[in-house]
mmCIF file of all heavy atoms in Angstrom:
data_model
loop_
_atom_site.group_PDB
_atom_site.id
_atom_site.type_symbol
_atom_site.label_atom_id
_atom_site.label_comp_id
_atom_site.label_asym_id
_atom_site.label_seq_id
_atom_site.Cartn_x
_atom_site.Cartn_y
_atom_site.Cartn_z
ATOM 1 N N MET E 1 11.463 -7.536 12.653
ATOM 2 C CA MET E 1 11.131 -6.947 11.359
ATOM 3 C C MET E 1 9.641 -7.157 11.089
ATOM 4 O O MET E 1 9.132 -8.262 11.254
ATOM 5 C CB MET E 1 11.956 -7.620 10.276
ATOM 6 C CG MET E 1 11.770 -7.065 8.915
ATOM 7 S SD MET E 1 13.326 -7.198 8.037
ATOM 8 C CE MET E 1 13.251 -5.766 7.059
ATOM 9 N N PRO E 2 8.907 -6.105 10.690
ATOM 10 C CA PRO E 2 7.465 -6.247 10.454
ATOM 11 C C PRO E 2 7.172 -7.095 9.215
ATOM 12 O O PRO E 2 7.967 -7.166 8.292
ATOM 13 C CB PRO E 2 6.999 -4.809 10.243
ATOM 14 C CG PRO E 2 8.202 -4.066 9.805
ATOM 15 C CD PRO E 2 9.375 -4.743 10.448
ATOM 16 N N THR E 3 5.996 -7.725 9.241
ATOM 17 C CA THR E 3 5.511 -8.443 8.070
ATOM 18 C C THR E 3 4.619 -7.502 7.273
ATOM 19 O O THR E 3 3.697 -6.896 7.824
ATOM 20 C CB THR E 3 4.704 -9.688 8.500
ATOM 21 O OG1 THR E 3 5.571 -10.550 9.221
ATOM 22 C CG2 THR E 3 4.147 -10.418 7.287
ATOM 23 N N VAL E 4 4.902 -7.357 5.999
ATOM 24 C CA VAL E 4 4.140 -6.475 5.119
ATOM 25 C C VAL E 4 3.424 -7.331 4.087
ATOM 26 O O VAL E 4 4.047 -8.168 3.437
ATOM 27 C CB VAL E 4 5.057 -5.454 4.421
ATOM 28 C CG1 VAL E 4 4.263 -4.569 3.476
ATOM 29 C CG2 VAL E 4 5.801 -4.621 5.448
ATOM 30 N N GLU E 5 2.107 -7.132 3.972
ATOM 31 C CA GLU E 5 1.294 -7.881 3.003
ATOM 32 C C GLU E 5 0.528 -6.912 2.126
ATOM 33 O O GLU E 5 0.090 -5.865 2.593
ATOM 34 C CB GLU E 5 0.232 -8.721 3.713
ATOM 35 C CG GLU E 5 0.686 -9.970 4.365
ATOM 36 C CD GLU E 5 -0.510 -10.638 5.033
ATOM 37 O OE1 GLU E 5 -0.892 -10.177 6.118
ATOM 38 O OE2 GLU E 5 -1.046 -11.575 4.452
ATOM 39 N N ILE E 6 0.342 -7.278 0.878
ATOM 40 C CA ILE E 6 -0.577 -6.574 -0.005
ATOM 41 C C ILE E 6 -1.645 -7.589 -0.397
ATOM 42 O O ILE E 6 -1.328 -8.631 -0.974
ATOM 43 C CB ILE E 6 0.118 -6.018 -1.247
ATOM 44 C CG1 ILE E 6 1.227 -5.049 -0.833
ATOM 45 C CG2 ILE E 6 -0.896 -5.320 -2.162
ATOM 46 C CD1 ILE E 6 2.116 -4.606 -1.972
ATOM 47 N N VAL E 7 -2.884 -7.293 -0.029
ATOM 48 C CA VAL E 7 -3.990 -8.210 -0.282
ATOM 49 C C VAL E 7 -5.015 -7.528 -1.172
ATOM 50 O O VAL E 7 -5.498 -6.436 -0.839
ATOM 51 C CB VAL E 7 -4.664 -8.645 1.042
ATOM 52 C CG1 VAL E 7 -5.849 -9.558 0.768
ATOM 53 C CG2 VAL E 7 -3.655 -9.317 1.963
ATOM 54 N N ALA E 8 -5.338 -8.144 -2.288
ATOM 55 C CA ALA E 8 -6.409 -7.651 -3.152
ATOM 56 C C ALA E 8 -7.719 -8.129 -2.534
ATOM 57 O O ALA E 8 -8.016 -9.322 -2.547
ATOM 58 C CB ALA E 8 -6.241 -8.189 -4.566
ATOM 59 N N SER E 9 -8.501 -7.200 -1.967
ATOM 60 C CA SER E 9 -9.745 -7.595 -1.309
ATOM 61 C C SER E 9 -10.804 -7.940 -2.356
ATOM 62 O O SER E 9 -10.768 -7.433 -3.484
ATOM 63 C CB SER E 9 -10.247 -6.482 -0.396
ATOM 64 O OG SER E 9 -10.568 -5.331 -1.147
ATOM 65 N N GLN E 10 -11.744 -8.802 -1.965
ATOM 66 C CA GLN E 10 -12.798 -9.197 -2.904
ATOM 67 C C GLN E 10 -13.634 -7.986 -3.284
ATOM 68 O O GLN E 10 -14.164 -7.286 -2.419
ATOM 69 C CB GLN E 10 -13.685 -10.276 -2.290
ATOM 70 C CG GLN E 10 -14.732 -10.792 -3.265
ATOM 71 C CD GLN E 10 -15.517 -11.961 -2.690
ATOM 72 O OE1 GLN E 10 -15.488 -12.209 -1.500
ATOM 73 N NE2 GLN E 10 -16.211 -12.667 -3.537
ATOM 74 N N ASN E 11 -13.712 -7.688 -4.562
ATOM 75 C CA ASN E 11 -14.522 -6.591 -5.113
ATOM 76 C C ASN E 11 -14.130 -5.221 -4.556
ATOM 77 O O ASN E 11 -14.963 -4.306 -4.524
ATOM 78 C CB ASN E 11 -16.014 -6.823 -4.848
ATOM 79 C CG ASN E 11 -16.485 -8.142 -5.398
ATOM 80 O OD1 ASN E 11 -15.948 -8.641 -6.375
ATOM 81 N ND2 ASN E 11 -17.467 -8.723 -4.754
ATOM 82 N N GLY E 12 -12.870 -5.085 -4.089
ATOM 83 C CA GLY E 12 -12.456 -3.820 -3.494
ATOM 84 C C GLY E 12 -10.992 -3.520 -3.690
ATOM 85 O O GLY E 12 -10.359 -4.044 -4.602
ATOM 86 N N PRO E 13 -10.447 -2.675 -2.811
ATOM 87 C CA PRO E 13 -9.095 -2.161 -2.996
ATOM 88 C C PRO E 13 -7.992 -3.160 -2.632
ATOM 89 O O PRO E 13 -8.253 -4.205 -2.033
ATOM 90 C CB PRO E 13 -9.058 -0.976 -2.017
ATOM 91 C CG PRO E 13 -9.977 -1.387 -0.930
ATOM 92 C CD PRO E 13 -11.092 -2.123 -1.606
ATOM 93 N N ASN E 14 -6.776 -2.783 -2.979
ATOM 94 C CA ASN E 14 -5.600 -3.487 -2.477
ATOM 95 C C ASN E 14 -5.339 -2.963 -1.072
ATOM 96 O O ASN E 14 -5.264 -1.748 -0.857
ATOM 97 C CB ASN E 14 -4.369 -3.215 -3.355
ATOM 98 C CG ASN E 14 -4.428 -3.951 -4.663
ATOM 99 O OD1 ASN E 14 -4.947 -5.051 -4.744
ATOM 100 N ND2 ASN E 14 -3.875 -3.357 -5.698
ATOM 101 N N LEU E 15 -5.248 -3.871 -0.120
ATOM 102 C CA LEU E 15 -5.016 -3.487 1.266
ATOM 103 C C LEU E 15 -3.558 -3.692 1.612
ATOM 104 O O LEU E 15 -3.016 -4.792 1.431
ATOM 105 C CB LEU E 15 -5.894 -4.329 2.195
ATOM 106 C CG LEU E 15 -7.389 -4.233 1.919
ATOM 107 C CD1 LEU E 15 -8.141 -5.208 2.822
ATOM 108 C CD2 LEU E 15 -7.890 -2.810 2.111
ATOM 109 N N LEU E 16 -2.933 -2.643 2.102
ATOM 110 C CA LEU E 16 -1.556 -2.737 2.578
ATOM 111 C C LEU E 16 -1.624 -3.004 4.072
ATOM 112 O O LEU E 16 -2.182 -2.207 4.825
ATOM 113 C CB LEU E 16 -0.801 -1.433 2.300
ATOM 114 C CG LEU E 16 0.610 -1.332 2.855
ATOM 115 C CD1 LEU E 16 1.513 -2.428 2.282
ATOM 116 C CD2 LEU E 16 1.183 0.046 2.571
ATOM 117 N N LYS E 17 -1.085 -4.145 4.481
ATOM 118 C CA LYS E 17 -1.136 -4.545 5.885
ATOM 119 C C LYS E 17 0.274 -4.645 6.439
ATOM 120 O O LYS E 17 1.157 -5.214 5.803
ATOM 121 C CB LYS E 17 -1.819 -5.906 6.045
ATOM 122 C CG LYS E 17 -3.277 -5.924 5.645
ATOM 123 C CD LYS E 17 -3.875 -7.308 5.874
ATOM 124 C CE LYS E 17 -5.356 -7.343 5.592
ATOM 125 N NZ LYS E 17 -5.924 -8.691 5.876
ATOM 126 N N VAL E 18 0.454 -4.107 7.629
ATOM 127 C CA VAL E 18 1.716 -4.237 8.343
ATOM 128 C C VAL E 18 1.401 -4.951 9.645
ATOM 129 O O VAL E 18 0.575 -4.488 10.429
ATOM 130 C CB VAL E 18 2.367 -2.860 8.603
ATOM 131 C CG1 VAL E 18 3.647 -3.022 9.416
ATOM 132 C CG2 VAL E 18 2.642 -2.140 7.288
ATOM 133 N N ASP E 19 2.032 -6.094 9.824
ATOM 134 C CA ASP E 19 1.774 -6.943 10.994
ATOM 135 C C ASP E 19 0.280 -7.201 11.177
ATOM 136 O O ASP E 19 -0.247 -7.163 12.292
ATOM 137 C CB ASP E 19 2.378 -6.338 12.257
ATOM 138 C CG ASP E 19 3.905 -6.401 12.244
ATOM 139 O OD1 ASP E 19 4.463 -7.271 11.549
ATOM 140 O OD2 ASP E 19 4.531 -5.577 12.940
ATOM 141 N N GLY E 20 -0.419 -7.434 10.065
ATOM 142 C CA GLY E 20 -1.836 -7.787 10.094
ATOM 143 C C GLY E 20 -2.786 -6.619 10.181
ATOM 144 O O GLY E 20 -4.000 -6.792 10.105
ATOM 145 N N LYS E 21 -2.262 -5.388 10.357
ATOM 146 C CA LYS E 21 -3.119 -4.200 10.490
ATOM 147 C C LYS E 21 -3.158 -3.444 9.162
ATOM 148 O O LYS E 21 -2.109 -3.158 8.574
ATOM 149 C CB LYS E 21 -2.575 -3.291 11.595
ATOM 150 C CG LYS E 21 -3.395 -2.060 11.828
ATOM 151 C CD LYS E 21 -2.803 -1.217 12.933
ATOM 152 C CE LYS E 21 -3.580 0.080 13.061
ATOM 153 N NZ LYS E 21 -2.984 0.976 14.050
ATOM 154 N N VAL E 22 -4.374 -3.089 8.693
ATOM 155 C CA VAL E 22 -4.512 -2.334 7.445
ATOM 156 C C VAL E 22 -4.017 -0.908 7.669
ATOM 157 O O VAL E 22 -4.508 -0.201 8.542
ATOM 158 C CB VAL E 22 -5.975 -2.314 6.957
ATOM 159 C CG1 VAL E 22 -6.128 -1.436 5.727
ATOM 160 C CG2 VAL E 22 -6.454 -3.731 6.667
ATOM 161 N N VAL E 23 -3.020 -0.492 6.890
ATOM 162 C CA VAL E 23 -2.489 0.874 6.996
ATOM 163 C C VAL E 23 -2.835 1.723 5.776
ATOM 164 O O VAL E 23 -2.681 2.947 5.814
ATOM 165 C CB VAL E 23 -0.963 0.878 7.242
ATOM 166 C CG1 VAL E 23 -0.637 0.211 8.572
ATOM 167 C CG2 VAL E 23 -0.219 0.209 6.109
ATOM 168 N N ALA E 24 -3.284 1.087 4.685
ATOM 169 C CA ALA E 24 -3.697 1.842 3.505
ATOM 170 C C ALA E 24 -4.590 0.965 2.637
ATOM 171 O O ALA E 24 -4.425 -0.251 2.593
ATOM 172 C CB ALA E 24 -2.486 2.305 2.696
ATOM 173 N N ALA E 25 -5.567 1.604 1.962
ATOM 174 C CA ALA E 25 -6.428 0.925 0.996
ATOM 175 C C ALA E 25 -6.239 1.638 -0.334
ATOM 176 O O ALA E 25 -6.551 2.824 -0.462
ATOM 177 C CB ALA E 25 -7.888 0.993 1.440
ATOM 178 N N LEU E 26 -5.678 0.917 -1.299
ATOM 179 C CA LEU E 26 -5.304 1.508 -2.582
ATOM 180 C C LEU E 26 -6.277 1.080 -3.664
ATOM 181 O O LEU E 26 -6.553 -0.113 -3.841
ATOM 182 C CB LEU E 26 -3.876 1.080 -2.939
ATOM 183 C CG LEU E 26 -2.830 1.441 -1.877
ATOM 184 C CD1 LEU E 26 -1.482 0.839 -2.241
ATOM 185 C CD2 LEU E 26 -2.721 2.943 -1.703
ATOM 186 N N CYS E 27 -6.778 2.067 -4.412
ATOM 187 C CA CYS E 27 -7.772 1.816 -5.456
ATOM 188 C C CYS E 27 -7.221 0.894 -6.530
ATOM 189 O O CYS E 27 -6.102 1.056 -6.999
ATOM 190 C CB CYS E 27 -8.192 3.141 -6.088
ATOM 191 S SG CYS E 27 -9.388 2.943 -7.432
ATOM 192 N N ARG E 28 -8.023 -0.072 -6.920
ATOM 193 C CA ARG E 28 -7.667 -0.900 -8.076
ATOM 194 C C ARG E 28 -8.828 -1.003 -9.058
ATOM 195 O O ARG E 28 -8.751 -1.720 -10.042
ATOM 196 C CB ARG E 28 -7.167 -2.275 -7.657
ATOM 197 C CG ARG E 28 -8.197 -3.185 -7.045
ATOM 198 C CD ARG E 28 -7.536 -4.512 -6.674
ATOM 199 N NE ARG E 28 -8.485 -5.378 -6.032
ATOM 200 C CZ ARG E 28 -8.780 -6.598 -6.440
ATOM 201 N NH1 ARG E 28 -8.183 -7.089 -7.490
ATOM 202 N NH2 ARG E 28 -9.657 -7.321 -5.797
ATOM 203 N N CYS E 29 -9.911 -0.247 -8.798
ATOM 204 C CA CYS E 29 -11.041 -0.270 -9.736
ATOM 205 C C CYS E 29 -10.936 0.854 -10.767
ATOM 206 O O CYS E 29 -11.585 0.808 -11.796
ATOM 207 C CB CYS E 29 -12.359 -0.150 -8.980
ATOM 208 S SG CYS E 29 -12.719 1.511 -8.360
ATOM 209 N N GLY E 30 -10.148 1.901 -10.435
ATOM 210 C CA GLY E 30 -9.974 3.024 -11.350
ATOM 211 C C GLY E 30 -11.008 4.125 -11.195
ATOM 212 O O GLY E 30 -10.963 5.126 -11.898
ATOM 213 N N HIS E 31 -11.950 4.012 -10.242
ATOM 214 C CA HIS E 31 -13.034 4.992 -10.109
ATOM 215 C C HIS E 31 -12.846 5.970 -8.948
ATOM 216 O O HIS E 31 -13.638 6.904 -8.808
ATOM 217 C CB HIS E 31 -14.379 4.274 -9.950
ATOM 218 C CG HIS E 31 -14.795 3.535 -11.190
ATOM 219 N ND1 HIS E 31 -15.441 4.136 -12.240
ATOM 220 C CD2 HIS E 31 -14.608 2.236 -11.557
ATOM 221 C CE1 HIS E 31 -15.666 3.254 -13.202
ATOM 222 N NE2 HIS E 31 -15.165 2.093 -12.805
ATOM 223 N N SER E 32 -11.820 5.783 -8.114
ATOM 224 C CA SER E 32 -11.618 6.682 -6.974
ATOM 225 C C SER E 32 -11.320 8.101 -7.438
ATOM 226 O O SER E 32 -10.580 8.321 -8.399
ATOM 227 C CB SER E 32 -10.454 6.180 -6.112
ATOM 228 O OG SER E 32 -10.202 7.107 -5.067
ATOM 229 N N LYS E 33 -11.883 9.084 -6.729
ATOM 230 C CA LYS E 33 -11.578 10.491 -7.004
ATOM 231 C C LYS E 33 -10.407 10.954 -6.153
ATOM 232 O O LYS E 33 -10.012 12.123 -6.208
ATOM 233 C CB LYS E 33 -12.815 11.342 -6.732
ATOM 234 C CG LYS E 33 -13.948 11.073 -7.717
ATOM 235 C CD LYS E 33 -15.205 11.810 -7.331
ATOM 236 C CE LYS E 33 -16.340 11.548 -8.297
ATOM 237 N NZ LYS E 33 -16.738 10.142 -8.366
ATOM 238 N N HIS E 34 -9.851 10.050 -5.351
ATOM 239 C CA HIS E 34 -8.727 10.386 -4.467
ATOM 240 C C HIS E 34 -7.595 9.384 -4.640
ATOM 241 O O HIS E 34 -7.010 8.916 -3.662
ATOM 242 C CB HIS E 34 -9.204 10.434 -3.012
ATOM 243 C CG HIS E 34 -10.312 11.406 -2.796
ATOM 244 N ND1 HIS E 34 -10.114 12.771 -2.764
ATOM 245 C CD2 HIS E 34 -11.645 11.221 -2.660
ATOM 246 C CE1 HIS E 34 -11.274 13.372 -2.590
ATOM 247 N NE2 HIS E 34 -12.225 12.458 -2.526
ATOM 248 N N LYS E 35 -7.295 9.037 -5.899
ATOM 249 C CA LYS E 35 -6.220 8.080 -6.173
ATOM 250 C C LYS E 35 -4.901 8.585 -5.583
ATOM 251 O O LYS E 35 -4.681 9.799 -5.586
ATOM 252 C CB LYS E 35 -6.065 7.866 -7.677
ATOM 253 C CG LYS E 35 -7.236 7.177 -8.316
ATOM 254 C CD LYS E 35 -6.989 7.018 -9.806
ATOM 255 C CE LYS E 35 -8.210 6.481 -10.505
ATOM 256 N NZ LYS E 35 -9.176 7.505 -10.810
ATOM 257 N N PRO E 36 -4.078 7.743 -5.053
ATOM 258 C CA PRO E 36 -4.146 6.294 -5.175
ATOM 259 C C PRO E 36 -5.024 5.622 -4.131
ATOM 260 O O PRO E 36 -5.116 4.403 -4.106
ATOM 261 C CB PRO E 36 -2.676 5.875 -5.000
ATOM 262 C CG PRO E 36 -2.150 6.861 -4.012
ATOM 263 C CD PRO E 36 -2.835 8.170 -4.375
ATOM 264 N N ASN E 37 -5.663 6.406 -3.251
ATOM 265 C CA ASN E 37 -6.456 5.799 -2.179
ATOM 266 C C ASN E 37 -7.859 5.416 -2.648
ATOM 267 O O ASN E 37 -8.440 6.074 -3.505
ATOM 268 C CB ASN E 37 -6.566 6.780 -1.008
ATOM 269 C CG ASN E 37 -5.216 7.112 -0.433
ATOM 270 O OD1 ASN E 37 -4.430 6.226 -0.159
ATOM 271 N ND2 ASN E 37 -4.933 8.384 -0.268
ATOM 272 N N CYS E 38 -8.391 4.379 -2.063
ATOM 273 C CA CYS E 38 -9.773 3.962 -2.294
ATOM 274 C C CYS E 38 -10.699 4.943 -1.575
ATOM 275 O O CYS E 38 -10.442 5.298 -0.424
ATOM 276 C CB CYS E 38 -9.973 2.553 -1.724
ATOM 277 S SG CYS E 38 -11.689 2.005 -1.677
ATOM 278 N N ASP E 39 -11.753 5.395 -2.244
ATOM 279 C CA ASP E 39 -12.743 6.263 -1.599
ATOM 280 C C ASP E 39 -14.123 5.603 -1.535
ATOM 281 O O ASP E 39 -15.114 6.269 -1.258
ATOM 282 C CB ASP E 39 -12.817 7.617 -2.292
ATOM 283 C CG ASP E 39 -13.388 7.544 -3.703
ATOM 284 O OD1 ASP E 39 -13.687 6.428 -4.171
ATOM 285 O OD2 ASP E 39 -13.544 8.611 -4.333
ATOM 286 N N GLY E 40 -14.176 4.304 -1.812
ATOM 287 C CA GLY E 40 -15.437 3.573 -1.746
ATOM 288 C C GLY E 40 -16.200 3.560 -3.058
ATOM 289 O O GLY E 40 -17.262 2.933 -3.155
ATOM 290 N N SER E 41 -15.686 4.240 -4.079
ATOM 291 C CA SER E 41 -16.393 4.315 -5.367
ATOM 292 C C SER E 41 -16.545 2.962 -6.040
ATOM 293 O O SER E 41 -17.418 2.806 -6.902
ATOM 294 C CB SER E 41 -15.659 5.276 -6.318
ATOM 295 O OG SER E 41 -15.685 6.589 -5.826
ATOM 296 N N HIS E 42 -15.727 1.989 -5.672
ATOM 297 C CA HIS E 42 -15.835 0.654 -6.284
ATOM 298 C C HIS E 42 -17.225 0.058 -6.039
ATOM 299 O O HIS E 42 -17.698 -0.734 -6.844
ATOM 300 C CB HIS E 42 -14.735 -0.284 -5.762
ATOM 301 C CG HIS E 42 -14.753 -0.478 -4.284
ATOM 302 N ND1 HIS E 42 -14.084 0.348 -3.404
ATOM 303 C CD2 HIS E 42 -15.398 -1.403 -3.533
ATOM 304 C CE1 HIS E 42 -14.285 -0.071 -2.175
ATOM 305 N NE2 HIS E 42 -15.083 -1.127 -2.214
ATOM 306 N N ARG E 43 -17.874 0.473 -4.954
ATOM 307 C CA ARG E 43 -19.206 -0.080 -4.650
ATOM 308 C C ARG E 43 -20.237 0.390 -5.672
ATOM 309 O O ARG E 43 -21.018 -0.406 -6.182
ATOM 310 C CB ARG E 43 -19.631 0.328 -3.242
ATOM 311 C CG ARG E 43 -18.786 -0.319 -2.173
ATOM 312 C CD ARG E 43 -19.312 0.001 -0.773
ATOM 313 N NE ARG E 43 -18.329 -0.344 0.231
ATOM 314 C CZ ARG E 43 -17.542 0.538 0.846
ATOM 315 N NH1 ARG E 43 -17.668 1.824 0.601
ATOM 316 N NH2 ARG E 43 -16.652 0.130 1.727
ATOM 317 N N THR E 44 -20.244 1.679 -5.972
ATOM 318 C CA THR E 44 -21.215 2.196 -6.939
ATOM 319 C C THR E 44 -20.832 1.834 -8.366
ATOM 320 O O THR E 44 -21.687 1.803 -9.246
ATOM 321 C CB THR E 44 -21.365 3.725 -6.813
ATOM 322 O OG1 THR E 44 -20.085 4.328 -6.936
ATOM 323 C CG2 THR E 44 -21.991 4.103 -5.485
ATOM 324 N N ALA E 45 -19.549 1.559 -8.595
ATOM 325 C CA ALA E 45 -19.091 1.164 -9.929
ATOM 326 C C ALA E 45 -19.332 -0.318 -10.188
ATOM 327 O O ALA E 45 -19.089 -0.796 -11.292
ATOM 328 C CB ALA E 45 -17.604 1.474 -10.088
ATOM 329 N N ALA E 46 -19.797 -1.038 -9.155
ATOM 330 C CA ALA E 46 -20.055 -2.479 -9.269
ATOM 331 C C ALA E 46 -18.802 -3.235 -9.712
ATOM 332 O O ALA E 46 -18.865 -4.171 -10.507
ATOM 333 C CB ALA E 46 -21.225 -2.750 -10.205
ATOM 334 N N PHE E 47 -17.643 -2.813 -9.164
ATOM 335 C CA PHE E 47 -16.369 -3.470 -9.470
ATOM 336 C C PHE E 47 -16.382 -4.887 -8.888
ATOM 337 O O PHE E 47 -16.774 -5.098 -7.750
ATOM 338 C CB PHE E 47 -15.229 -2.663 -8.851
ATOM 339 C CG PHE E 47 -13.870 -3.281 -8.985
ATOM 340 C CD1 PHE E 47 -13.247 -3.370 -10.213
ATOM 341 C CD2 PHE E 47 -13.205 -3.769 -7.867
ATOM 342 C CE1 PHE E 47 -11.974 -3.921 -10.343
ATOM 343 C CE2 PHE E 47 -11.943 -4.324 -7.979
ATOM 344 C CZ PHE E 47 -11.327 -4.400 -9.226
ATOM 345 N N THR E 48 -15.960 -5.844 -9.687
ATOM 346 C CA THR E 48 -15.870 -7.219 -9.201
ATOM 347 C C THR E 48 -14.492 -7.786 -9.501
ATOM 348 O O THR E 48 -13.936 -7.567 -10.583
ATOM 349 C CB THR E 48 -16.932 -8.142 -9.837
ATOM 350 O OG1 THR E 48 -16.761 -8.149 -11.241
ATOM 351 C CG2 THR E 48 -18.340 -7.695 -9.492
ATOM 352 N N SER E 49 -13.944 -8.469 -8.511
ATOM 353 C CA SER E 49 -12.640 -9.128 -8.657
ATOM 354 C C SER E 49 -12.454 -10.030 -7.449
ATOM 355 O O SER E 49 -12.904 -9.708 -6.343
ATOM 356 C CB SER E 49 -11.537 -8.073 -8.713
ATOM 357 O OG SER E 49 -10.296 -8.698 -8.932
ATOM 358 N N PRO E 50 -11.790 -11.169 -7.628
ATOM 359 C CA PRO E 50 -11.593 -12.068 -6.508
ATOM 360 C C PRO E 50 -10.541 -11.563 -5.529
ATOM 361 O O PRO E 50 -9.704 -10.734 -5.873
ATOM 362 C CB PRO E 50 -11.124 -13.358 -7.178
ATOM 363 C CG PRO E 50 -10.479 -12.915 -8.442
ATOM 364 C CD PRO E 50 -11.234 -11.699 -8.877
ATOM 365 N N GLU E 51 -10.611 -12.086 -4.307
ATOM 366 C CA GLU E 51 -9.597 -11.784 -3.293
ATOM 367 C C GLU E 51 -8.324 -12.559 -3.609
ATOM 368 O O GLU E 51 -8.384 -13.685 -4.103
ATOM 369 C CB GLU E 51 -10.117 -12.195 -1.917
ATOM 370 C CG GLU E 51 -9.138 -11.903 -0.795
ATOM 371 C CD GLU E 51 -9.722 -12.256 0.566
ATOM 372 O OE1 GLU E 51 -10.327 -13.324 0.688
ATOM 373 O OE2 GLU E 51 -9.565 -11.451 1.480
ATOM 374 N N ALA E 52 -7.176 -11.950 -3.334
ATOM 375 C CA ALA E 52 -5.909 -12.644 -3.567
ATOM 376 C C ALA E 52 -4.810 -11.967 -2.769
ATOM 377 O O ALA E 52 -4.819 -10.756 -2.574
ATOM 378 C CB ALA E 52 -5.548 -12.605 -5.046
ATOM 379 N N VAL E 53 -3.875 -12.760 -2.261
ATOM 380 C CA VAL E 53 -2.676 -12.194 -1.646
ATOM 381 C C VAL E 53 -1.715 -11.867 -2.769
ATOM 382 O O VAL E 53 -1.363 -12.736 -3.570
ATOM 383 C CB VAL E 53 -2.030 -13.166 -0.639
ATOM 384 C CG1 VAL E 53 -0.717 -12.589 -0.117
ATOM 385 C CG2 VAL E 53 -2.983 -13.452 0.497
ATOM 386 N N VAL E 54 -1.332 -10.608 -2.860
ATOM 387 C CA VAL E 54 -0.479 -10.156 -3.955
ATOM 388 C C VAL E 54 0.988 -10.319 -3.590
ATOM 389 O O VAL E 54 1.800 -10.764 -4.380
ATOM 390 C CB VAL E 54 -0.791 -8.688 -4.314
ATOM 391 C CG1 VAL E 54 0.115 -8.181 -5.429
ATOM 392 C CG2 VAL E 54 -2.249 -8.556 -4.729
ATOM 393 N N GLU E 55 1.333 -9.944 -2.354
ATOM 394 C CA GLU E 55 2.757 -9.937 -1.972
ATOM 395 C C GLU E 55 2.859 -10.075 -0.459
ATOM 396 O O GLU E 55 2.079 -9.489 0.262
ATOM 397 C CB GLU E 55 3.371 -8.600 -2.412
ATOM 398 C CG GLU E 55 4.838 -8.498 -2.193
ATOM 399 C CD GLU E 55 5.660 -9.062 -3.344
ATOM 400 O OE1 GLU E 55 5.351 -8.722 -4.489
ATOM 401 O OE2 GLU E 55 6.577 -9.855 -3.097
ATOM 402 N N VAL E 56 3.825 -10.823 -0.001
ATOM 403 C CA VAL E 56 4.141 -10.913 1.418
ATOM 404 C C VAL E 56 5.630 -10.680 1.558
ATOM 405 O O VAL E 56 6.435 -11.381 0.956
ATOM 406 C CB VAL E 56 3.764 -12.281 2.016
ATOM 407 C CG1 VAL E 56 4.162 -12.346 3.481
ATOM 408 C CG2 VAL E 56 2.286 -12.572 1.846
ATOM 409 N N LEU E 57 5.992 -9.649 2.322
ATOM 410 C CA LEU E 57 7.398 -9.319 2.552
ATOM 411 C C LEU E 57 7.688 -9.502 4.022
ATOM 412 O O LEU E 57 6.966 -8.992 4.878
ATOM 413 C CB LEU E 57 7.677 -7.871 2.139
ATOM 414 C CG LEU E 57 7.283 -7.486 0.710
ATOM 415 C CD1 LEU E 57 7.421 -5.991 0.506
ATOM 416 C CD2 LEU E 57 8.136 -8.242 -0.278
ATOM 417 N N LYS E 58 8.724 -10.235 4.312
ATOM 418 C CA LYS E 58 9.094 -10.451 5.724
ATOM 419 C C LYS E 58 10.505 -10.001 5.954
ATOM 420 O O LYS E 58 11.324 -10.015 5.084
ATOM 421 C CB LYS E 58 8.944 -11.921 6.100
ATOM 422 C CG LYS E 58 7.511 -12.367 6.080
ATOM 423 C CD LYS E 58 7.388 -13.796 6.542
ATOM 424 C CE LYS E 58 5.923 -14.217 6.518
ATOM 425 N NZ LYS E 58 5.731 -15.582 6.939
HETATM 426 S S1 LIG S 1 -11.067 0.176 -5.169
HETATM 427 FE FE1 LIG S 1 -12.238 1.462 -3.952
HETATM 428 S S2 LIG S 1 -12.520 3.217 -5.140
HETATM 429 FE FE2 LIG S 1 -11.348 1.922 -6.408
#
């Protein structure tokens, strides 16, 4: 069974990881023009937030 993690990256998107590999980057700054995906707009928006593991499913 794969391990699924959701990690809030520092100053960036929520990363969905399956078996350690990033399969999706989801916007959490609210500035993406392609929600729910991150389009890099968090950089120009100067979004700041700490890194954190949100969920681990095994
Ligand atoms: S987190 Fe990257 S655009 Fe919102």
